[in-house]
Amino acid sequence: MKPVEIVLVYQSLLGIYGDRGNAMVLRKRLTRRGIDAVLTEVEPGQSVPSDAAVYLLGGGEDAAQVSAVNGLKADGHIFDAVENGAVLFAVCAGFQIVGNTFTVGEQDEVIEGLGLIDVDTRRGDVRAVGEILTTATLPNGRQSLITGFENHGGFTTLGPKAKPLAKVEIGIGNANDGTEGAVQGKVIGTYPHGPVLARNPELADQLLELALGRELDELVDPELDELRRQRIAAIRKTGRR
Ligand code: GLN
């Protein structure tokens, strides 16, 4: 069987928050189950494969975001990949990029995103910085607590085609409106770093199940469960730090 291909997109532009860890987590959770997986890294100027299983975009600064969106539009293959049924998981700047529009710089210049998810991002009245705790409704209908660290100035509002990924318990999320992230088909955007898939293995497995179109065996990870329990207890006790 062909290995499951995970594509990490434009780390040189969207790699400042350690979101590359999401790719490592996905690959590891496949290989631990005996499923072959390969990680492909694509940089601007290189062609994005159009037949991989999962694509990952991370967080980055305004200027890098604009370069990334221009590169992805010029290449065009990310659109084919989504059309072909791939999972696209985009964090923070990545989330904004896959939306309809976002703004950058002091003048709030409006930039056209990829339009793969029905959201728009504008500068918020505060910068959202700190730990965040949400409850996601996963594509399989299960609820799962998500912990992470958010750091964004853009506030994102959802159009009718996108559904929120989660409800905020502590933190700002999309626009201080109680929602976090967005889902449209197999395109999923979210604000938390962490990396978020390292902190939230259930979300990681959901992305893999979506990509493979089947359920995966559970992985037993007592140490990870304990770390998660402590993180969730800490943020609930001290609130946002
Ligand atoms: N430049 C975007 C914002 O501040 C994204 C930041 C990020 O990826 N952390 O909203």
Side-chain angles (χ1 to χ4, degrees):
M1 223 178 69
K2 202 172 141 234
V4 177
E5 186 175 8
I6 299 158
V7 182
L8 187 55
V9 181
Y10 296 177
Q11 268 295 288
S12 60
L13 295 172
L14 304 172
I16 57 167
Y17 291 92
D19 298 315
R20 102 181 274 113
N22 290 331
M24 295 154 83
V25 168
L26 290 180
R27 183 174 55 177
K28 190 81 191 168
R29 294 187 75 79
L30 287 168
T31 55
R32 279 181 65 191
R33 292 171 164 113
I35 302 169
D36 258 1
V38 45
L39 180 58
T40 304
E41 298 201 28
V42 185
E43 285 301 336
Q46 297 175 338
S47 176
V48 176
S50 51
D51 58 354
V54 185
Y55 294 75
L56 298 167
L57 289 168
E61 285 146 352
D62 285 12
Q65 241 175 295
V66 178
S67 305
V69 86
N70 289 338
L72 288 168
K73 280 182 194 164
D75 175 72
H77 290 112
I78 193 119
F79 300 108
D80 302 331
V82 171
E83 184 85 25
N84 291 339
V87 169
L88 170 55
F89 182 66
V91 175
C92 203
F95 177 25
Q96 299 177 2
I97 286 171
V98 298
N100 301 323
T101 60
F102 58 93
T103 52
V104 294
E106 293 299 301
Q107 309 304 318
D108 294 324
E109 188 192 344
V110 178
I111 310 288
E112 293 275 328
L114 300 178
L116 291 170
I117 195 162
D118 190 13
V119 301
D120 291 275
T121 303
R122 295 292 179 269
R123 191 210 299 243
D125 48 6
V126 291
R127 189 167 178 90
V129 185
E131 286 286 317
I132 177 165
L133 182 67
T134 70
T135 301
T137 301
L138 300 176
N140 64 7
R142 277 173 65 178
Q143 304 237 304
S144 185
L145 283 173
I146 305 289
T147 88
F149 186 86
E150 61 178 334
N151 184 359
H152 54 104
F155 275 26
T156 299
T157 47
L158 275 56
K161 288 191 227 143
K163 280 207 310 241
L165 171 68
K167 259 177 76 171
V168 177
E169 181 177 323
I170 299 168
I172 304 275
N174 286 338
N176 222 356
D177 60 352
T179 69
E180 201 301 299
V183 182
Q184 186 173 317
K186 293 188 196 170
V187 184
I188 297 163
T190 191
Y191 272 110
H193 306 286
V196 69
L197 299 184
R199 285 198 188 193
N200 305 285
E202 230 184 327
L203 179 60
D205 283 351
Q206 265 294 284
L207 298 182
L208 293 174
E209 290 186 357
L210 261 187
L212 299 177
R214 65 179 170 95
E215 281 186 28
L216 292 168
D217 300 333
E218 215 177 305
L219 291 179
V220 181
D221 254 319
E223 209 176 310
L224 218 157
D225 292 345
E226 176 56 19
L227 246 172
R228 230 176 109 67
R229 198 195 57 73
Q230 288 180 14
R231 279 220 172 89
I232 293 164
I235 181 173
R236 280 192 170 142
K237 188 161 167 225
T238 58
R240 207 162 161 79
R241 279 169 294 154

